[in-house]
Amino acid sequence: MSFALRARSTLFATRRAFSTSPSSQLARINLIGRLGAEPEIQSTSTGTDVIKYPLAVDTHGKASDRKTSWFKVTSFVGEGPTRDFIMGLQKGTLLFVEGDVSIPQFQDADGAMRSTMNITQRTFEVLKRPYQVPSEGSAHSEGTQTADQGAPSAAGGSA
Protein backbone atom coordinates (compact mmCIF):
# COMPACT_ATOMS: atom_id res chain seq x y z
CA MET A 1 0.00 0.00 0.00
CA SER A 2 1.45 3.36 -0.95
CA PHE A 3 2.06 6.15 1.53
CA ALA A 4 -0.56 8.40 -0.12
CA LEU A 5 -3.22 5.68 0.06
CA ARG A 6 -2.47 4.97 3.74
CA ALA A 7 -2.51 8.67 4.60
CA ARG A 8 -5.84 9.10 2.81
CA SER A 9 -7.46 6.11 4.57
CA THR A 10 -6.19 7.40 7.94
CA LEU A 11 -7.62 10.84 7.18
CA PHE A 12 -11.07 9.38 6.43
CA ALA A 13 -10.96 7.17 9.52
CA THR A 14 -10.35 10.14 11.84
CA ARG A 15 -13.11 12.38 10.45
CA ARG A 16 -16.53 12.45 12.08
CA ALA A 17 -18.71 11.72 9.06
CA PHE A 18 -21.98 12.13 11.00
CA SER A 19 -21.43 15.70 12.15
CA THR A 20 -19.57 18.85 11.20
CA SER A 21 -19.92 20.37 14.67
CA PRO A 22 -17.18 19.98 17.27
CA SER A 23 -17.55 17.15 19.75
CA SER A 24 -19.07 18.04 23.11
CA GLN A 25 -18.70 16.77 26.65
CA LEU A 26 -22.50 16.84 27.06
CA ALA A 27 -24.94 14.11 26.21
CA ARG A 28 -28.56 14.87 25.39
CA ILE A 29 -31.51 12.82 26.58
CA ASN A 30 -35.23 12.87 25.71
CA LEU A 31 -37.64 11.42 28.27
CA ILE A 32 -41.39 10.93 28.40
CA GLY A 33 -42.64 10.19 31.87
CA ARG A 34 -44.85 11.23 34.75
CA LEU A 35 -44.01 13.59 37.57
CA GLY A 36 -43.34 11.53 40.69
CA ALA A 37 -43.97 14.52 42.98
CA GLU A 38 -44.72 18.22 42.71
CA PRO A 39 -41.66 20.25 41.67
CA GLU A 40 -39.67 21.84 44.52
CA ILE A 41 -37.46 24.91 44.65
CA GLN A 42 -34.05 24.33 46.25
CA SER A 43 -31.18 26.74 46.74
CA THR A 44 -27.65 25.89 45.62
CA SER A 45 -24.55 26.68 47.70
CA THR A 46 -24.19 29.92 45.69
CA GLY A 47 -27.75 30.99 46.51
CA THR A 48 -29.23 30.26 43.07
CA ASP A 49 -32.74 28.81 43.17
CA VAL A 50 -33.28 25.69 41.06
CA ILE A 51 -36.35 23.58 40.46
CA LYS A 52 -36.01 19.84 41.04
CA TYR A 53 -38.49 17.09 40.31
CA PRO A 54 -38.53 13.30 39.89
CA LEU A 55 -39.67 11.82 36.58
CA ALA A 56 -40.88 8.20 36.31
CA VAL A 57 -40.32 6.60 32.90
CA ASP A 58 -41.94 3.24 32.17
CA THR A 59 -40.52 0.71 29.72
CA HIS A 60 -42.86 -0.76 27.13
CA GLY A 61 -43.59 -4.42 26.69
CA LYS A 62 -45.63 -7.09 28.41
CA ALA A 63 -47.23 -6.04 31.67
CA SER A 64 -45.10 -8.55 33.58
CA ASP A 65 -41.85 -7.19 32.05
CA ARG A 66 -42.49 -3.46 32.56
CA LYS A 67 -40.10 -1.54 34.76
CA THR A 68 -39.97 2.05 35.94
CA SER A 69 -36.79 4.11 35.81
CA TRP A 70 -36.60 7.21 38.00
CA PHE A 71 -34.74 10.34 36.91
CA LYS A 72 -33.95 13.43 38.99
CA VAL A 73 -34.39 16.49 36.79
CA THR A 74 -33.03 19.96 37.59
CA SER A 75 -34.29 23.15 35.94
CA PHE A 76 -32.48 26.50 36.10
CA VAL A 77 -35.51 28.62 35.14
CA GLY A 78 -35.42 32.14 36.56
CA GLU A 79 -38.36 33.85 38.20
CA GLY A 80 -41.28 34.47 35.89
CA PRO A 81 -44.18 32.76 34.16
CA THR A 82 -42.20 29.67 33.10
CA ARG A 83 -41.15 28.98 36.68
CA ASP A 84 -44.71 29.53 37.90
CA PHE A 85 -45.96 27.15 35.21
CA ILE A 86 -43.52 24.39 36.25
CA MET A 87 -44.27 24.90 39.94
CA GLY A 88 -48.01 24.53 39.20
CA LEU A 89 -47.61 21.05 37.67
CA GLN A 90 -49.18 18.23 39.66
CA LYS A 91 -47.89 14.78 40.49
CA GLY A 92 -48.84 12.40 37.67
CA THR A 93 -48.52 15.00 34.85
CA LEU A 94 -47.16 13.38 31.68
CA LEU A 95 -44.12 15.35 30.48
CA PHE A 96 -41.69 15.32 27.59
CA VAL A 97 -38.31 16.54 28.87
CA GLU A 98 -35.20 17.24 26.82
CA GLY A 99 -32.09 17.68 28.88
CA ASP A 100 -28.33 17.51 29.16
CA VAL A 101 -26.86 14.50 30.95
CA SER A 102 -23.75 14.44 33.07
CA ILE A 103 -22.45 11.55 35.16
CA PRO A 104 -20.10 12.90 37.82
CA GLN A 105 -18.17 10.63 40.16
CA PHE A 106 -17.89 11.22 43.88
CA GLN A 107 -16.62 9.48 46.99
CA ASP A 108 -19.28 8.37 49.47
CA ALA A 109 -18.97 8.38 53.28
CA ASP A 110 -17.40 4.90 53.22
CA GLY A 111 -14.69 5.98 50.76
CA ALA A 112 -16.16 4.08 47.80
CA MET A 113 -16.29 5.77 44.39
CA ARG A 114 -19.85 6.25 43.15
CA SER A 115 -21.48 7.98 40.21
CA THR A 116 -24.86 9.56 39.65
CA MET A 117 -26.76 10.74 36.59
CA ASN A 118 -27.70 14.42 36.53
CA ILE A 119 -30.29 15.68 34.06
CA THR A 120 -30.49 19.41 33.46
CA GLN A 121 -33.74 20.35 31.73
CA ARG A 122 -33.39 22.30 28.49
CA THR A 123 -37.00 22.17 27.29
CA PHE A 124 -40.19 20.47 28.37
CA GLU A 125 -43.72 19.99 27.17
CA VAL A 126 -46.80 18.96 29.09
CA LEU A 127 -48.36 16.06 27.20
CA LYS A 128 -51.24 15.26 29.53
CA ARG A 129 -52.46 16.48 32.88
CA PRO A 130 -53.55 13.96 35.50
CA TYR A 131 -57.27 13.21 35.38
CA GLN A 132 -59.29 14.92 38.07
CA VAL A 133 -63.01 14.71 38.58
CA PRO A 134 -64.23 18.26 38.02
CA SER A 135 -66.03 19.82 40.93
CA GLU A 136 -69.35 21.57 40.43
CA GLY A 137 -68.98 24.94 38.77
CA SER A 138 -65.49 24.36 37.40
CA ALA A 139 -64.53 23.55 33.84
CA HIS A 140 -62.06 20.74 33.14
CA SER A 141 -59.73 21.31 30.25
CA GLU A 142 -57.07 18.93 29.03
CA GLY A 143 -55.02 20.98 26.60
CA THR A 144 -51.40 20.53 25.69
CA GLN A 145 -49.22 23.28 27.04
CA THR A 146 -45.58 23.87 26.28
CA ALA A 147 -42.75 25.86 27.72
CA ASP A 148 -39.15 26.31 26.65
CA GLN A 149 -36.44 27.68 28.90
CA GLY A 150 -35.00 29.92 26.23
CA ALA A 151 -38.21 31.01 24.53
CA PRO A 152 -41.52 32.54 25.57
CA SER A 153 -43.49 30.22 27.81
CA ALA A 154 -47.02 28.96 27.36
CA ALA A 155 -48.13 31.77 29.66
CA GLY A 156 -46.82 34.33 27.17
CA GLY A 157 -43.80 35.62 29.11
CA SER A 158 -40.14 34.90 28.64
CA ALA A 159 -37.87 32.75 30.76
Side-chain angles (χ1 to χ4, degrees), residues 75-117:
S75 177
F76 288 90
V77 176
E79 288 191 37
T82 303
R83 176 189 261 188
D84 296 339
F85 182 78
I86 294 172
M87 293 304 296
L89 296 175
Q90 298 174 334
K91 178 180 176 179
T93 301
L94 186 64
L95 290 178
F96 165 79
V97 175
E98 177 186 13
D100 294 326
V101 177
S102 62
I103 304 176
Q105 291 188 342
F106 62 95
Q107 194 171 29
D108 68 8
D110 298 329
M113 290 304 292
R114 302 229 180 233
S115 61
T116 183
M117 181 184 297

Short mmCIF file of all heavy atoms in Angstrom, two decimals, residues 75-117:
data_model
loop_
_atom_site.label_atom_id
_atom_site.label_comp_id
_atom_site.label_asym_id
_atom_site.label_seq_id
_atom_site.Cartn_x
_atom_site.Cartn_y
_atom_site.Cartn_z
N SER A 75 -33.97 22.07 36.87
CA SER A 75 -34.29 23.15 35.94
C SER A 75 -33.77 24.47 36.50
O SER A 75 -34.05 24.80 37.65
CB SER A 75 -35.80 23.23 35.72
OG SER A 75 -36.12 24.30 34.87
N PHE A 76 -33.04 25.22 35.68
CA PHE A 76 -32.48 26.50 36.10
C PHE A 76 -33.31 27.65 35.54
O PHE A 76 -32.77 28.63 35.05
CB PHE A 76 -31.03 26.63 35.63
CG PHE A 76 -30.09 25.75 36.41
CD1 PHE A 76 -29.83 24.46 35.99
CD2 PHE A 76 -29.48 26.22 37.55
CE1 PHE A 76 -28.96 23.64 36.71
CE2 PHE A 76 -28.61 25.41 38.27
CZ PHE A 76 -28.36 24.11 37.85
N VAL A 77 -34.62 27.57 35.64
CA VAL A 77 -35.51 28.62 35.14
C VAL A 77 -35.55 29.75 36.16
O VAL A 77 -35.76 29.52 37.35
CB VAL A 77 -36.93 28.06 34.92
CG1 VAL A 77 -37.88 29.15 34.50
CG2 VAL A 77 -36.90 26.95 33.89
N GLY A 78 -35.36 30.97 35.68
CA GLY A 78 -35.42 32.14 36.56
C GLY A 78 -36.86 32.47 36.92
O GLY A 78 -37.81 31.86 36.41
N GLU A 79 -37.01 33.45 37.79
CA GLU A 79 -38.36 33.85 38.20
C GLU A 79 -39.14 34.34 36.99
O GLU A 79 -38.59 34.95 36.09
CB GLU A 79 -38.29 34.94 39.25
CG GLU A 79 -37.82 34.42 40.58
CD GLU A 79 -38.01 35.43 41.68
OE1 GLU A 79 -39.01 36.16 41.67
OE2 GLU A 79 -37.13 35.48 42.56
N GLY A 80 -40.43 34.04 36.98
CA GLY A 80 -41.28 34.47 35.89
C GLY A 80 -42.35 33.45 35.59
O GLY A 80 -42.54 32.48 36.34
N PRO A 81 -43.05 33.63 34.47
CA PRO A 81 -44.18 32.76 34.16
C PRO A 81 -43.79 31.30 33.90
O PRO A 81 -44.56 30.40 34.24
CB PRO A 81 -44.80 33.38 32.91
CG PRO A 81 -43.87 34.42 32.43
CD PRO A 81 -42.91 34.72 33.52
N THR A 82 -42.60 31.05 33.34
CA THR A 82 -42.20 29.67 33.10
C THR A 82 -41.99 28.93 34.41
O THR A 82 -42.44 27.80 34.58
CB THR A 82 -40.93 29.60 32.24
OG1 THR A 82 -41.17 30.29 31.01
CG2 THR A 82 -40.55 28.16 31.93
N ARG A 83 -41.35 29.60 35.37
CA ARG A 83 -41.15 28.98 36.68
C ARG A 83 -42.49 28.73 37.36
O ARG A 83 -42.72 27.66 37.93
CB ARG A 83 -40.29 29.88 37.56
CG ARG A 83 -40.16 29.30 38.98
CD ARG A 83 -39.51 30.27 39.89
NE ARG A 83 -38.12 29.90 40.01
CZ ARG A 83 -37.28 30.47 40.86
NH1 ARG A 83 -37.68 31.44 41.64
NH2 ARG A 83 -36.04 30.07 40.93
N ASP A 84 -43.39 29.70 37.30
CA ASP A 84 -44.71 29.53 37.90
C ASP A 84 -45.45 28.37 37.25
O ASP A 84 -46.14 27.61 37.93
CB ASP A 84 -45.53 30.82 37.77
CG ASP A 84 -44.91 31.98 38.53
OD1 ASP A 84 -44.11 31.74 39.47
OD2 ASP A 84 -45.23 33.13 38.18
N PHE A 85 -45.31 28.23 35.93
CA PHE A 85 -45.96 27.15 35.21
C PHE A 85 -45.44 25.79 35.69
O PHE A 85 -46.22 24.89 35.98
CB PHE A 85 -45.73 27.32 33.71
CG PHE A 85 -46.39 26.27 32.86
CD1 PHE A 85 -47.75 26.35 32.59
CD2 PHE A 85 -45.67 25.23 32.32
CE1 PHE A 85 -48.37 25.39 31.81
CE2 PHE A 85 -46.27 24.27 31.54
CZ PHE A 85 -47.63 24.35 31.28
N ILE A 86 -44.11 25.66 35.78
CA ILE A 86 -43.52 24.39 36.25
C ILE A 86 -43.95 24.10 37.68
O ILE A 86 -44.32 22.97 38.01
CB ILE A 86 -41.98 24.43 36.15
CG1 ILE A 86 -41.54 24.51 34.69
CG2 ILE A 86 -41.37 23.21 36.82
CD1 ILE A 86 -40.05 24.74 34.51
N MET A 87 -43.92 25.10 38.54
CA MET A 87 -44.27 24.90 39.94
C MET A 87 -45.75 24.53 40.11
O MET A 87 -46.13 23.94 41.11
CB MET A 87 -43.93 26.13 40.77
CG MET A 87 -42.44 26.41 40.88
SD MET A 87 -41.49 25.02 41.53
CE MET A 87 -42.17 24.89 43.17
N GLY A 88 -46.59 24.86 39.13
CA GLY A 88 -48.01 24.53 39.20
C GLY A 88 -48.35 23.13 38.69
O GLY A 88 -49.50 22.70 38.78
N LEU A 89 -47.35 22.41 38.18
CA LEU A 89 -47.61 21.05 37.67
C LEU A 89 -47.87 20.10 38.82
O LEU A 89 -47.24 20.19 39.88
CB LEU A 89 -46.43 20.56 36.83
CG LEU A 89 -46.16 21.36 35.56
CD1 LEU A 89 -44.89 20.84 34.87
CD2 LEU A 89 -47.34 21.29 34.61
N GLN A 90 -48.79 19.18 38.61
CA GLN A 90 -49.18 18.23 39.66
C GLN A 90 -48.51 16.88 39.45
O GLN A 90 -48.16 16.51 38.33
CB GLN A 90 -50.69 18.03 39.65
CG GLN A 90 -51.47 19.28 39.94
CD GLN A 90 -52.95 19.05 39.78
OE1 GLN A 90 -53.39 18.18 39.05
NE2 GLN A 90 -53.74 19.85 40.49
N LYS A 91 -48.38 16.15 40.54
CA LYS A 91 -47.89 14.78 40.49
C LYS A 91 -48.76 14.00 39.50
O LYS A 91 -49.97 14.14 39.49
CB LYS A 91 -47.99 14.15 41.88
CG LYS A 91 -47.55 12.71 41.94
CD LYS A 91 -47.67 12.18 43.35
CE LYS A 91 -47.31 10.71 43.38
NZ LYS A 91 -47.40 10.17 44.74
N GLY A 92 -48.11 13.20 38.65
CA GLY A 92 -48.84 12.40 37.67
C GLY A 92 -48.93 13.05 36.29
O GLY A 92 -49.34 12.41 35.33
N THR A 93 -48.50 14.31 36.15
CA THR A 93 -48.52 15.00 34.85
C THR A 93 -47.54 14.30 33.91
O THR A 93 -46.40 14.03 34.27
CB THR A 93 -48.12 16.48 35.02
OG1 THR A 93 -49.02 17.11 35.92
CG2 THR A 93 -48.13 17.20 33.69
N LEU A 94 -48.01 14.01 32.69
CA LEU A 94 -47.16 13.38 31.68
C LEU A 94 -46.35 14.47 30.98
O LEU A 94 -46.92 15.42 30.43
CB LEU A 94 -48.01 12.61 30.67
CG LEU A 94 -47.25 11.79 29.62
CD1 LEU A 94 -46.44 10.67 30.29
CD2 LEU A 94 -48.22 11.22 28.60
N LEU A 95 -45.01 14.34 31.03
CA LEU A 95 -44.12 15.35 30.48
C LEU A 95 -43.18 14.75 29.44
O LEU A 95 -42.77 13.60 29.54
CB LEU A 95 -43.22 15.94 31.58
CG LEU A 95 -43.81 16.84 32.63
CD1 LEU A 95 -42.72 17.24 33.61
CD2 LEU A 95 -44.41 18.06 32.00
N PHE A 96 -42.82 15.58 28.47
CA PHE A 96 -41.69 15.32 27.59
C PHE A 96 -40.60 16.26 28.07
O PHE A 96 -40.82 17.46 28.20
CB PHE A 96 -42.03 15.62 26.13
CG PHE A 96 -40.81 15.71 25.25
CD1 PHE A 96 -40.19 14.56 24.81
CD2 PHE A 96 -40.27 16.93 24.91
CE1 PHE A 96 -39.05 14.63 24.02
CE2 PHE A 96 -39.14 17.02 24.12
CZ PHE A 96 -38.53 15.86 23.67
N VAL A 97 -39.42 15.73 28.38
CA VAL A 97 -38.31 16.54 28.87
C VAL A 97 -37.09 16.27 27.99
O VAL A 97 -36.74 15.12 27.75
CB VAL A 97 -37.96 16.20 30.34
CG1 VAL A 97 -36.73 16.96 30.80
CG2 VAL A 97 -39.13 16.50 31.25
N GLU A 98 -36.49 17.34 27.50
CA GLU A 98 -35.20 17.24 26.82
C GLU A 98 -34.18 17.86 27.73
O GLU A 98 -34.39 18.96 28.27
CB GLU A 98 -35.23 18.00 25.49
CG GLU A 98 -33.88 17.98 24.79
CD GLU A 98 -33.85 18.85 23.54
OE1 GLU A 98 -34.77 19.65 23.33
OE2 GLU A 98 -32.88 18.72 22.79
N GLY A 99 -33.08 17.15 27.95
CA GLY A 99 -32.09 17.68 28.88
C GLY A 99 -30.68 17.25 28.55
O GLY A 99 -30.45 16.39 27.70
N ASP A 100 -29.74 17.87 29.25
CA ASP A 100 -28.33 17.51 29.16
C ASP A 100 -28.02 16.53 30.28
O ASP A 100 -28.50 16.69 31.40
CB ASP A 100 -27.44 18.74 29.30
CG ASP A 100 -27.61 19.71 28.15
OD1 ASP A 100 -27.84 19.24 27.02
OD2 ASP A 100 -27.51 20.92 28.37
N VAL A 101 -27.21 15.53 29.97
CA VAL A 101 -26.86 14.50 30.95
C VAL A 101 -25.40 14.63 31.32
O VAL A 101 -24.55 14.80 30.45
CB VAL A 101 -27.12 13.09 30.38
CG1 VAL A 101 -26.69 12.02 31.37
CG2 VAL A 101 -28.56 12.91 29.99
N SER A 102 -25.13 14.54 32.60
CA SER A 102 -23.75 14.44 33.07
C SER A 102 -23.72 13.33 34.12
O SER A 102 -24.71 13.10 34.82
CB SER A 102 -23.24 15.76 33.64
OG SER A 102 -24.00 16.13 34.75
N ILE A 103 -22.58 12.65 34.21
CA ILE A 103 -22.45 11.55 35.16
C ILE A 103 -21.18 11.79 35.98
O ILE A 103 -20.12 11.24 35.68
CB ILE A 103 -22.42 10.18 34.45
CG1 ILE A 103 -23.67 10.03 33.59
CG2 ILE A 103 -22.32 9.05 35.45
CD1 ILE A 103 -23.71 8.77 32.75
N PRO A 104 -21.28 12.63 37.00
CA PRO A 104 -20.10 12.90 37.82
C PRO A 104 -19.82 11.76 38.80
O PRO A 104 -20.72 11.02 39.19
CB PRO A 104 -20.48 14.17 38.58
CG PRO A 104 -21.96 14.12 38.67
CD PRO A 104 -22.42 13.42 37.41
N GLN A 105 -18.56 11.62 39.16
CA GLN A 105 -18.17 10.63 40.16
C GLN A 105 -17.87 11.35 41.46
O GLN A 105 -17.43 12.49 41.47
CB GLN A 105 -16.93 9.86 39.70
CG GLN A 105 -17.21 8.95 38.52
CD GLN A 105 -16.03 8.08 38.20
OE1 GLN A 105 -14.91 8.34 38.61
NE2 GLN A 105 -16.28 7.01 37.46
N PHE A 106 -18.15 10.65 42.58
CA PHE A 106 -17.89 11.22 43.88
C PHE A 106 -17.54 10.09 44.84
O PHE A 106 -17.76 8.91 44.55
CB PHE A 106 -19.10 12.01 44.40
CG PHE A 106 -20.34 11.16 44.59
CD1 PHE A 106 -20.63 10.62 45.84
CD2 PHE A 106 -21.20 10.90 43.53
CE1 PHE A 106 -21.78 9.84 46.02
CE2 PHE A 106 -22.33 10.13 43.70
CZ PHE A 106 -22.62 9.59 44.95
N GLN A 107 -16.99 10.46 45.98
CA GLN A 107 -16.62 9.48 46.99
C GLN A 107 -17.65 9.54 48.11
O GLN A 107 -17.92 10.61 48.65
CB GLN A 107 -15.22 9.80 47.52
CG GLN A 107 -14.60 8.71 48.32
CD GLN A 107 -13.14 9.01 48.61
OE1 GLN A 107 -12.74 10.17 48.70
NE2 GLN A 107 -12.34 7.98 48.77
N ASP A 108 -18.26 8.39 48.43
CA ASP A 108 -19.28 8.37 49.47
C ASP A 108 -18.63 8.36 50.86
O ASP A 108 -17.40 8.40 50.98
CB ASP A 108 -20.25 7.20 49.28
CG ASP A 108 -19.62 5.84 49.50
OD1 ASP A 108 -18.45 5.76 49.94
OD2 ASP A 108 -20.30 4.83 49.22
N ALA A 109 -19.45 8.31 51.90
CA ALA A 109 -18.97 8.38 53.28
C ALA A 109 -18.05 7.21 53.63
O ALA A 109 -17.20 7.34 54.51
CB ALA A 109 -20.15 8.43 54.24
N ASP A 110 -18.22 6.07 52.95
CA ASP A 110 -17.40 4.90 53.22
C ASP A 110 -16.11 4.89 52.39
O ASP A 110 -15.34 3.94 52.47
CB ASP A 110 -18.20 3.62 52.92
CG ASP A 110 -19.42 3.49 53.81
OD1 ASP A 110 -19.37 3.98 54.96
OD2 ASP A 110 -20.43 2.92 53.35
N GLY A 111 -15.90 5.90 51.57
CA GLY A 111 -14.69 5.98 50.76
C GLY A 111 -14.81 5.31 49.39
O GLY A 111 -13.84 5.29 48.64
N ALA A 112 -15.97 4.75 49.08
CA ALA A 112 -16.16 4.08 47.80
C ALA A 112 -16.50 5.11 46.72
O ALA A 112 -17.20 6.09 46.98
CB ALA A 112 -17.29 3.05 47.90
N MET A 113 -15.98 4.89 45.51
CA MET A 113 -16.29 5.77 44.39
C MET A 113 -17.68 5.41 43.85
O MET A 113 -17.98 4.26 43.62
CB MET A 113 -15.25 5.65 43.28
CG MET A 113 -13.90 6.24 43.65
SD MET A 113 -13.96 7.98 44.14
CE MET A 113 -14.39 8.76 42.62
N ARG A 114 -18.49 6.42 43.67
CA ARG A 114 -19.85 6.25 43.15
C ARG A 114 -20.06 7.24 42.03
O ARG A 114 -19.33 8.22 41.88
CB ARG A 114 -20.88 6.50 44.24
CG ARG A 114 -20.72 5.60 45.45
CD ARG A 114 -22.01 5.00 45.79
NE ARG A 114 -21.86 4.15 46.94
CZ ARG A 114 -22.25 2.91 46.93
NH1 ARG A 114 -22.81 2.39 45.88
NH2 ARG A 114 -22.12 2.17 48.00
N SER A 115 -21.12 7.01 41.26
CA SER A 115 -21.48 7.98 40.21
C SER A 115 -23.00 8.14 40.23
O SER A 115 -23.73 7.28 40.72
CB SER A 115 -21.02 7.50 38.84
OG SER A 115 -21.62 6.27 38.50
N THR A 116 -23.43 9.26 39.72
CA THR A 116 -24.86 9.56 39.65
C THR A 116 -25.14 10.21 38.32
O THR A 116 -24.25 10.79 37.70
CB THR A 116 -25.29 10.47 40.82
OG1 THR A 116 -26.69 10.66 40.76
CG2 THR A 116 -24.61 11.82 40.76
N MET A 117 -26.38 10.11 37.85
CA MET A 117 -26.76 10.74 36.59
C MET A 117 -27.53 12.01 36.90
O MET A 117 -28.52 11.99 37.61
CB MET A 117 -27.64 9.81 35.75
CG MET A 117 -28.02 10.44 34.43
SD MET A 117 -29.15 9.45 33.42
CE MET A 117 -28.19 8.01 33.11
#
